[in-house]
Structure formats: C-alpha cells, structure tokens
Amino acid sequence: MTSLVVSDLVKGFGTKPVLTGVSFRVETGTLTAILGPSGSGKTTLLRVICGFERAEAGRIELDDEVVDDPTRFVPPERRRIGYVPQEGNLFPHLTVAGNVRFGLRRGADSRRRVAELLEMIGLADRARSYPHQLSGGQQQRVALARALAVQPRLVLLDEPFASLDASLRASVRADVARILRGAGATALLVTHDQDEALSMSDSVAVIRDGVIAQFDTPRAIYARPLDADLAHFVGDVNMLPGSFDGDAVTTVLGRLTLRDTPTAPAGTAATVMIRPEQLLLAPGRDRDPQACEVIDHEFYGHDAIVRLKPLHGTAEPTLVVRVRGGIDWPRGSVTTVTVDGPVVAWV
C-alpha cells in the first residue's frame, strides 16, 4: 500500500522556481530519505507536503486522499502528519510526559498512549523530567514520540540530527530508525547528509534542480548512480577515463567488468566510477602494469585513506583507496592495484 504519492509538484517563490516537477511514492511502513544539497528544494518540498505552503501545480495524496491539487487543499491540521523539526522544539515548561501528551485529549487513553511511547523511546523513567534536563539525543526522541502520539499517517523529519554533536549522531540515528520501525510508521527524512540517508532509509530520493534525479534503494543509489554528479554526491569516488570494450571497460587499471549492460559501442570514450573500497592494494614494483606510488596516508583508526598516483599512463587522476586502519602504506612506497567487483561507466 502506498502512503504518500507526490505527482509533478511545482512550487516557486516570485520568479524563482524551486520545485519544477517532483514525483515519487512512499510505501506504507517505510522510511524514505529526501537527500539534496542546500538550496535544492528539500525544505520547500517538506513544507508543501505538510500544508504549510500550497503547490502551484501537481498533486499530493495521503492514503489515497488528495490533500493538495489545483482544486483541493487540506489544511495542515487535518492532514494527520507528525512533524519533527531540526531542534526538536519541545515546550520548556512541560515535562517529558506533558510534551508527548500535547495534542491528545486528556483521559485514561492518553495516559496509556504516553506511557507506551515513553517505553518505546526508552525514557519511561524520565516522564517527569523537563527538556533542559535531557541530552540532545533524548530531546529528539521525545520530539519523535510527540509526533507519533497522534498516530499520524506520515512522519516528517526535517534535518533532525543537524544540531547534535558528531559523537551523538550515529547512536541517535539508530535509535530513531528503531523507534520508527517499531511503531510501523511511514516516514520521510529530509537531509543533506549522505550517511544519514544511506544508513537509515529503505529508499532514497535525490533531489536536484527541482526534480528527483534518482529514486532507489540506498544500495542501488550508491552502487548504480545515474551519472557522475550523483556518484560524487553520495560518497567518495574515483573517476577514471577509459573506453568501452564489449561487456567491459579498459582503464589504466586494466580491463574492468561493467556492472550493467554497456551503453555505447566498443571504443567509445567512457568515464568510469570506482568506489574507494573496491580498490585492493598489494606490495608492487615500478614495472608492474598497475603500479602506483603512495602519495598520502590518512589514518582514522577503524580505517584509513590511501592516495595513489598511477605510475603508467598519462594525466591519470589521483586514486583514493579505503583500507583497514591497521595496515600501513608508507608515503613513497609502490603498490599494485586491483579492482574488486564490477564498475559503472558513462559516456
């Protein structure tokens, strides 16, 4: 069952177009990330879905009900959408329980609902605490519980982890994803952070130039981006020149198998995408065909980034390789490079 359908949505401000034909579907019980850089229209899209702004053209359906099109507009308070803003925006004068209860009718049912939600978010013992007594991560969990309290058709999360310390983000992301899935909620996460989008969601919609440039699973977005710009946006990447050669592509690193059916005849120039973790290193010698010189080594503990200069071929780019942190590749040493798995190439 589809919970949210957005069709050919158009919205601008004055003479400035922002959304120029956005279309996508969110299935019931799934978490979809809207991923895009600043200024790409993410916040405008969220505001139109909420009903804070009205679309100029197109249609929005929630559970098969049209809530915005040229002939119908359902106001925000009647859309049953839960909203989690960036800062949480808890009411400072209300306790944790009071914040979660906000919007519910008073009575035994509301008390039971609040108790269930506080148990779900792991804060049953903080019901009488005030927001200033909670950590940033705890405040976001309370904001999520408040959004879930009214049993919304859709939960919208607007950059919900941007204000958290880096050390907190990963754990709070995991908590929020667990809570949403445990509640069976349908959710839309708006973010510019690739890690958030890829790690939390069932589907990712990359917004670019006012439209959805690609909509797919996180794995497919990462492994099969539709073009080079999308490849760069969703993670570190090596781009090598090459040429199509049947079901493969020829590069300075040898003949590499293509992940998908070739898009051009043999001999056609290609841009080849290789992710850093696809490159495998071994000690080498200058005369080896895929010999490279280590020009930098950045240690991050759990892993490391090694930067290489190919020793054969002309005007080849620096290669970026992700390796285990415990392996040392000294600057100036020579390695051979092999590619693990198929690659993606575009004309």
Side-chain angles (χ1 to χ4, degrees), residues 86 140 159-164 169 172-173 176 189 196 200:
Q86 185 176 121
Q140 283 300 79
E159 304 267 9
F161 314 112
S163 62
L164 299 179
R169 272 180 220 146
V172 177
R173 283 200 304 255
V176 167
L189 167 71
E196 284 178 18
M200 290 184 64

Side-chain angles (χ1 to χ4, degrees), residues 264-275:
T268 304
T271 298
V272 183
M273 181 197 87
I274 305 174
R275 293 293 184 189

Side-chain angles (χ1 to χ4, degrees), residues 122-141:
L123 292 175
D125 60 337
R126 303 301 298 271
R128 297 184 179 182
S129 299
Y130 287 87
H132 72 272
Q133 297 172 312
L134 305 178
S135 69
Q138 289 172 328
Q139 290 180 31
Q140 283 300 79
R141 282 149 59 192

